[in-house]
Amino acid sequence: MQSEQSPFHTLLFRAFHAQRSYLHSCLGESGLGAGQPKLLVYLNDHGPCSQRELADYFEIDPAAVSRMLCAMEKGGFVARQTNQASRRSDLISLTEKGRQFAKLWLEHYREIEEIMLHGFTPQEREQFSQYLLRAYQNYRVWKEGQQCGI
């Protein structure tokens, strides 16, 4: 166990890495790669959406999302359908297999959250969540300023 004097970035990385390692071990024989389950969970929560929406939400390259979706479609987790509102893009939706895996993945998320937040009071959990959100929002504001040449 690291001392309390570990740099904040190291603590964040270690917590992220521990969570990612646990979740990676839960992929099993699903055929899904790292990064793909989060797309399933998003689709499960938000319903059919465009590839662009997924790329924007997760702040990842649209080409990377395209590759992930292609693999997920071949695996039977998602299906594409023509977007009637804009024929220039497809809507991505979950198949029954995708819904089942998303449900299982959410159970794994909840399990690792309970493990990692053991002993935290409900108030501490809420505060921790708000701190992470605020840190992310600070980054987004900074990043937008960087793009504007500030």
Side-chain angles (χ1 to χ4, degrees):
M1 178 77 76
Q2 292 283 118
S3 72
E4 292 180 34
Q5 297 194 16
S6 292
F8 184 74
H9 69 273
T10 300
L11 296 173
L12 265 179
F13 177 77
R14 292 181 76 205
F16 169 76
H17 184 70
Q19 180 188 40
R20 187 177 62 180
S21 294
Y22 171 81
L23 291 171
H24 184 71
S25 72
C26 297
L27 284 175
E29 301 296 318
S30 70
L32 290 170
Q36 294 175 347
K38 68 184 174 195
L39 300 180
L40 293 179
V41 170
Y42 182 89
L43 290 167
N44 188 63
D45 292 346
H46 296 92
C49 68
S50 69
Q51 176 180 318
R52 167 59 68 189
E53 184 179 335
L54 290 167
D56 288 348
Y57 182 80
F58 289 107
E59 299 180 13
I60 53 180
D61 179 50
V65 173
S66 179
R67 288 187 298 275
M68 285 191 274
L69 291 173
C70 185
M72 293 164 63
E73 188 174 20
K74 286 179 184 174
F77 294 97
V78 299
R80 296 176 194 258
Q81 56 205 32
T82 302
N83 183 349
Q84 297 303 318
S86 171
R87 295 191 184 271
R88 294 177 59 184
S89 69
D90 291 335
L91 286 179
I92 312 301
S93 61
L94 291 178
T95 62
E96 183 56 36
K97 181 178 180 179
R99 277 188 288 283
Q100 290 174 358
F101 192 84
K103 181 182 176 189
L104 177 64
W105 197 251
L106 281 168
E107 290 172 14
H108 291 306
Y109 273 142
R110 288 184 193 106
E111 186 175 350
I112 192 62
E113 283 178 12
E114 285 305 313
I115 291 167
M116 294 181 84
L117 298 176
H118 176 76
F120 283 58
T121 67
Q123 295 80 13
E124 289 171 329
R125 290 175 184 227
E126 179 60 27
Q127 282 181 315
F128 188 43
S129 178
Q130 290 303 312
Y131 294 149
L132 289 173
L133 177 61
R134 202 163 91 205
Y136 174 73
Q137 289 170 338
N138 287 342
Y139 168 76
R140 293 296 303 156
V141 167
W142 172 84
K143 184 177 177 182
E144 288 174 18
Q146 294 299 308
Q147 292 177 347
C148 296
I150 295 174

